Amino acid sequence: MNKNLLVLPGDGVGPEIMTEALKVLTAVNDKFSLGFTWSTGLIGGAAIDATGVPLPAETLVAAKAAGAVLLGAVGGPKWDALPMDKRPEKGLLGIRSELDLFANLRPAVLYPQLADASTLKPEVVSGLDLLIVRELTGGIYFGQPRGIRDNDGVRQGYNTYVYDENEIRRIGRVAFEAARVRSGRLCSVDKANVLEVTVLWREIMTELAAEYPDVTLSHMYVDNAAMQLVRAPKQFDVMVTGNMFGDILSDCASMLTGSIGMLPSASLDSNNRGMYEPIHGSAPDIAGKGVANPLATILSVAMMLRYSFSEEVAAAAIEQAVSDTLDSGLRTADIASEGVQVVGTQAMGDAVVAALLA
Ligand code: NAD
C-alpha cells in the first residue's frame, strides 16, 4: 500500500489548520506505527503566486503518485478578480477531475457536547448522524458549453447541467453501498419536476434499487430536502445527490452540527484512493488570526485512515481524541457557547494530540 501522502495546505486558514492536522497525523503515525510519510505541494492562490497557475503540473504529478491527498482550502479575495479559469477554485476542480474523484462523502455528525452550538433546538439535532454522498466531477460545475456571451447586444451567462447514466450509476452505487452498512435508508435528491437531467437521475437510482433489496430508496425534490434538513434532519440517514445540490445541502447540514469548522470530507475514485479535506473554504475573514477551528481537517485525517487505508483503530482513536477534547470543555470561537473556554487553532490541535497520547 502506498503510504506516501501529498499535503496541500492552500490558502487563507488552510496552512493554519493543516499544521494542526499534521501534528495529529504525526502523533497517530508514531502511536500506531503506521509508516506514513508526506510531502507538501502548492495549489490554489499559493500556487498562482508561486507559479502563475492554480494547479501546477508538479502538484498533479505528485497527487497522482501519492497514496492519498490531504487538502486545506483554496481561494481568497486576493485572487477574486482573476478570470474564472485562472482562479484558485479552478485548481480544486481540476485536481478532483484529474484524479477522477467522483464520490464525495460528507458526514454530518453532531457531537453531543456541541448540541448548544447549533442554531437549531437541541431536540431537533441531538444524535444527528447523516451522510451526504455528492457527485463531484460532473453536473453543472463541469458541463459544456459554458460562459458569458453576447446575445444580440445583451450579455448572457450560461452553463450546462448534464449527467450521463454511467455517471449517475457509479455515484448511486457508492451511496447504496454506504446505506447498506448504515441504517439501510437512502434518499436521492433531485429536481425531477423541472430538470430532465434529474428525471434520468431518478430513473437510474430507481433501477439500482433493484440490486439493493436491503436498502429502502426514497426520492425528494431539492427544495423540499433543504427545508426538511432544517425542519427534521434526523429523518435522513444517507442522501445522494448531484454536484451543485450536494454542495449547497452539505453546507446547510454543516450548520446542524454547530459549525462548518467541524465537518470533514472524503473524495474518492473507484479504488477508494482519495483526497481528504474540510468542507469549509479558506475563511479569509479569520485567516492569519489563529482562531480557525482545525477539527474538520483533523477529522479528515481520520476519514483518510479509514477509507483509503482501512486503519480503523487509528481513525477511531483520532475521533475519540476529538470527542475527549470537546469533553474537556475546550472550544474554538465558532463552536463556543457561553461560559466555555475559548482557545485558538494551535491550542485546539495540541489538545487533540494530548488526548490521543493520553
Ligand atoms: P468559507 O467556508 O471559507 O467561510 C464561511 C464562513 O465560515 C466564514 O465566516 C468563515 O470564517 C467560517 N469558517 C470557515 N471555516 C472555518 C473554520 N475552520 N473555523 C471557524 N470558522 C470557519 O466560505 P466563503 O467565505 O464562502 O469562501 C471563502 C473562500 O473560500 C472563497 O474564495 C471560496 O471560493 C473558497 N472556498 C474554498 C473551498 C475549498 O477549498 N474546498 C470551499 C468553499 C469555498
Side-chain angles (χ1 to χ4, degrees), residues 73-76 89 92 260-261 277 279-286 292-293 334:
V74 301
E89 293 79 0
L92 190 56
I260 201 168
E277 53 179 311
I279 78 156
H280 61 75
S282 59
D285 51 335
I286 56 168
N293 186 346
D334 56 309

Side-chain angles (χ1 to χ4, degrees), residues 33-268:
S33 304
L34 299 178
F36 285 104
T37 57
W38 52 90
S39 56
T40 303
L42 290 170
I43 194 166
I48 294 171
D49 289 351
T51 70
V53 292
L55 181 57
E58 198 185 341
T59 299
L60 199 51
V61 169
K64 286 183 174 168
V69 179
L70 267 177
L71 180 106
V74 301
K78 180 177 177 191
W79 305 281
D80 276 354
L82 291 172
M84 197 65 94
D85 63 333
K86 300 207 161 51
R87 285 175 55 162
E89 293 79 0
K90 200 71 186 172
L92 190 56
L93 294 179
I95 197 168
R96 286 171 178 168
S97 121
E98 286 284 341
L99 298 183
D100 206 13
L101 305 175
F102 69 93
N104 188 212
L105 308 189
R106 298 186 158 201
V109 176
L110 179 77
Y111 281 82
Q113 304 92 325
L114 296 183
D116 287 346
S118 175
T119 47
L120 276 81
K121 293 185 191 125
E123 62 268 27
V124 175
V125 289
S126 65
L128 181 83
D129 179 0
L130 69 86
L131 176 68
I132 297 183
V133 179
R134 166 189 172 197
E135 199 290 327
L136 200 60
T137 52
I140 197 163
Y141 289 2
F142 289 92
Q144 295 288 347
R146 61 191 295 158
I148 299 175
R149 62 191 165 202
D150 183 275
N151 187 25
D152 280 342
V154 177
R155 282 182 307 147
Q156 183 184 55
Y158 60 102
N159 288 89
T160 303
Y161 190 0
V162 58
Y163 273 121
D164 70 37
E165 59 180 308
N166 296 327
E167 289 174 297
I168 301 171
R169 205 167 277 120
R170 70 176 182 171
I171 192 68
R173 287 218 158 85
V174 171
F176 274 99
E177 295 288 342
R180 172 171 266 182
V181 296
R182 290 173 54 106
S183 74
R185 285 181 296 120
L186 174 64
C187 179
S188 171
V189 177
D190 61 42
K191 190 70 185 166
N193 51 343
V194 178
L195 298 170
E196 284 80 358
V197 52
T198 69
V199 171
L200 181 66
W201 179 280
R202 192 175 277 221
E203 269 176 38
I204 301 294
M205 289 296 162
T206 305
E207 270 174 38
L208 276 178
E211 293 177 34
Y212 297 87
D214 48 336
V215 176
T216 306
L217 174 69
S218 60
H219 303 278
M220 196 177 276
Y221 297 136
V222 63
D223 40 351
N224 187 24
M227 185 185 80
Q228 296 296 339
L229 262 180
V230 287
R231 192 187 74 82
K234 283 187 277 181
Q235 70 185 282
F236 298 112
D237 185 47
V238 181
M239 303 175 87
V240 61
T241 191
N243 204 342
M244 179 169 63
F245 296 162
D247 192 2
I248 298 165
L249 292 180
S250 59
D251 267 29
C252 180
S254 75
M255 274 321 291
L256 306 172
T257 70
S259 170
I260 201 168
M262 290 299 299
L263 296 197
S265 76
S267 306
L268 305 174

